[in-house]
Amino acid sequence: MTSAQPVRRTEAYRCGRLFAAVAALQRLAQNEHHALGQQGVAEKAAARPEPVLREPLREIVQYLVQARIRGRGAAADPVFRSLTDFLPPARAVPTSLHPDERPDFHRGREEQAALIEKEHPSGK
């Protein structure tokens, strides 16, 4: 494969983007001490995305409401709307990812986090 060929967007990559979006909403709602931002959580999610994201996905609307209350709706609204782009089509978030897939997870997470930060620096 040459560098000119498109990168295949794997399920792991999409999970990484989903993690970054949910983490951004959680941060906008709860400040820097949000659960998904804690040290080691991204590594756990790269190995087992569904168990790590289960509760935050259940609380996603509450994060949006809290972010709006805190005056961060302009940053939270587009992140919230983007979530459906990252959910696996017609299936649940994977319970686990093979070690070979984890770099794709981290690449997706980093790219999505960078995009969110570029569009809304520090959640403004």
Side-chain angles (χ1 to χ4, degrees):
M1 180 157 102
T2 67
S3 60
Q5 292 177 322
V7 175
R8 191 171 134 246
R9 299 301 184 215
T10 65
E11 187 170 52
Y13 178 85
R14 289 169 61 116
C15 283
R17 292 189 74 180
L18 177 64
F19 179 90
V22 174
L25 278 172
Q26 199 179 63
R27 178 180 48 80
L28 290 166
Q30 301 174 348
N31 281 331
E32 297 302 321
H33 302 291
H34 62 97
L36 294 179
Q38 299 301 308
Q39 186 172 356
V41 175
E43 278 301 321
K44 288 179 186 175
R48 299 184 44 82
E50 191 279 332
V52 172
L53 288 171
R54 182 183 309 138
E55 191 60 33
L57 283 170
R58 286 185 187 147
E59 299 292 325
I60 203 73
V61 172
Q62 185 61 33
Y63 299 148
L64 176 63
V65 170
Q66 287 174 335
R68 286 178 171 181
I69 289 169
R70 299 183 72 220
R72 296 179 171 174
D77 289 351
V79 174
F80 180 82
R81 287 191 299 271
S82 74
L83 291 173
T84 58
D85 295 338
F86 313 131
L87 292 171
R91 295 189 310 167
V93 174
T95 302
S96 64
L97 295 174
H98 188 274
D100 293 345
E101 297 175 296
R102 295 174 193 170
D104 284 345
F105 175 92
H106 289 296
R107 188 176 72 250
R109 180 180 58 84
E110 291 164 6
E111 288 177 8
Q112 187 61 29
L115 179 64
I116 292 167
E117 182 63 25
K118 179 181 175 186
E119 292 178 358
H120 298 283
S122 300
K124 294 185 172 125

